[in-house]
Amino acid sequence: MSIRPVKRHSKAMPTREGAGVDLFRAFGFEEPSAFDPFLLLDDFRNDRPEEYAAGFPWHPHRGIETITYVLAGSVEHGDSLGNQGIIQPGDLQWMTAGRGIIHQEMPQGDAQGRMHGFQLWANLPAALKMTAPRYQEVSSADIPEVIEDDGTKARIICGEMWGAKGPVEGIAADPVYVDVSVPPGKRRSLPVETDSHAFAYVFAGSGTFLNASGPRRPVTEAVGEVAETAEPMVDNRSLILFDRGDTVTVQAGDQGIRFLLVSGRPLREPVAWHGPVVMNTRQELVQAFEELQRGTFLK
Ligand code: FE
C-alpha cells in the first residue's frame, strides 16, 4: 500500500459565470494536464437567490461531459434535442455532450433560498468527441451509500469502491466519483487506482490528508516548532491534488470532514479549449464556432 502524497492544495476562487451566477471555481482553464481527464470543477453553493437565479441560459457544449451533483435546491435542465428534467437534491446528471448540444441550466433555491451543488467537466478522448449526446440521470435513491465500521460514509456515484458500484456507466476515462464523510477524529484510507489522476474537494468540516503511513509525529505547541510533514490542514473549498499511489488517507478534524474524491485515467491528448467547447486541435475549435454561427452545430 502506498499513500498518495499531496502534490498541491489550493482554495476555490470566486468566479462569475452564465448570465451572472456567483460561484467558486476549484480548477479550470489554467493547466488541463494537471487534472486530466478532468477539466474544471465549479462549486455553486450559494444562499442568495439574486446571485444565481439568472442561471445558465442557452449555450453549447461539444467534446466534453458535464457532471452535475446537486445537494440543495434544484437545477432545471432543457436542451435543443428535446431532453428536459429537474435535478433534485442528492441527484446527479452525467451529460455526455459529444458532437454537440445546446442547453440551459437554471438553478432554483430551496425554501431557504439555498442552491448547493457542483459541476465537474470531464474531457472526452478524440475517438469519442463526436459521439452522440447521452444523458445519465441518477436519482438520489439509486446512488449506493456504504457505511464503514468507523462511521465513514461514502456515496458511490461512479466507479467502484468498498464493494459498491455507482450507477453511472460506460465512461471512457474510467472515473471514480465518491462523496465521502469521515466522522470527527477518525483516520480513514480510501483506495484509488494507481494510474489515475486523483483530487479531493472539501466542502464541510476540516482535516489533513496524510503524506505517509505510520504514526504521525505528535503536534507540539512549542513556538517555532515545525511539523516534520508539511501536511496542510484543509477545510471548506479546499482542493487537493494527489501524487501517485494507491490510497488516500485522511485524518478528520473535530467536526469531521466531507469531500468529493474524484479520480480518472488521464487521456494525455492535446487540448484545444474555448469556453464550452473542448477539442484536440485549433482547427476543430474554429469549425465548432463556425458551425454555431451557420446554425449547423447540431448533428
Ligand atoms: Fe452547460
Side-chain angles (χ1 to χ4, degrees):
M1 189 183 87
S2 62
I3 286 188
R4 284 176 171 255
V6 174
K7 198 172 188 178
R8 68 168 89 147
H9 65 104
S10 56
K11 282 280 193 172
M13 298 292 286
T15 306
R16 181 162 290 178
E17 268 298 345
V21 176
D22 290 330
L23 50 78
F24 284 83
R25 180 156 292 156
F27 64 91
F29 296 100
E30 302 84 17
E31 197 191 349
S33 60
F35 293 88
D36 180 18
F38 306 104
L39 295 163
L40 174 148
L41 177 65
D42 278 349
D43 170 353
F44 50 90
R45 284 174 293 160
N46 197 322
D47 294 343
R48 298 161 59 92
E50 65 274 22
E51 292 180 356
Y52 62 76
F56 306 89
W58 297 105
H59 60 277
H61 288 290
R62 177 180 281 178
I64 61 166
E65 306 183 273
T66 65
I67 299 103
T68 308
Y69 181 37
V70 171
L71 297 175
S74 62
V75 177
E76 202 177 332
H77 169 267
D79 79 11
S80 48
L81 305 170
N83 299 296
Q84 56 180 31
I86 299 177
I87 313 168
Q88 305 279 4
D91 294 357
L92 180 107
Q93 182 201 61
W94 196 295
M95 182 189 82
T96 305
R99 64 195 175 210
I101 57 121
I102 296 175
H103 75 164
Q104 60 174 349
E105 298 154 292
M106 304 306 282
Q108 275 164 358
D110 64 9
Q112 285 80 48
R114 296 177 307 170
M115 170 66 238
H116 292 187
F118 306 99
Q119 188 170 80
L120 175 71
W121 291 13
N123 205 358
L124 281 170
L128 292 174
K129 288 236 180 249
M130 296 301 276
T131 193
R134 174 190 183 202
Y135 290 88
Q136 297 188 65
E137 314 263 0
V138 180
S139 64
S140 186
D142 295 328
I143 298 176
E145 185 173 87
V146 182
I147 304 177
E148 294 285 282
D149 290 343
D150 65 356
T152 296
K153 282 193 288 192
R155 301 190 83 216
I156 318 290
I157 291 162
C158 183
E160 260 185 275
M161 198 174 81
W162 295 338
K165 194 168 187 299
V168 175
E169 288 188 324
I171 306 297
D174 220 359
V176 179
Y177 187 132
V178 288
D179 169 359
V180 182
S181 303
V182 181
K186 299 291 184 189
R187 181 184 298 190
R188 186 75 227 183
S189 286
L190 302 118
V192 182
E193 194 61 43
T194 312
D195 296 328
S196 293
H197 280 167
F199 68 86
Y201 184 69
V202 179
F203 61 101
S206 65
T208 306
F209 287 90
L210 306 190
N211 281 334
S213 54
R216 292 182 78 202
R217 211 169 85 141
V219 175
T220 160
E221 304 269 321
V223 176
E225 189 84 16
V226 177
E228 192 179 319
T229 52
E231 291 160 346
M233 178 65 90
V234 292
D235 60 4
N236 190 25
R237 298 205 171 94
S238 295
L239 171 74
I240 301 97
L241 177 64
F242 298 103
D243 217 327
R244 276 176 67 90
D246 56 21
T247 60
V248 159
T249 301
V250 62
Q251 171 71 51
D254 298 345
Q255 309 291 311
I257 187 168
R258 186 174 177 189
F259 55 93
L260 305 177
L261 179 63
V262 182
S263 59
R265 261 206 318 267
L267 303 177
R268 304 187 205 285
E269 290 180 359
V271 173
W273 183 354
H274 185 73
V277 178
V278 185
M279 306 302 288
N280 295 108
T281 68
R282 197 185 133 69
Q283 193 184 346
E284 290 166 336
L285 263 193
V286 170
Q287 186 188 331
F289 284 93
E290 278 176 5
E291 287 178 8
L292 275 168
Q293 282 204 318
R294 275 192 253 118
T296 57
F297 183 78
L298 299 173
K299 306 296 173 196

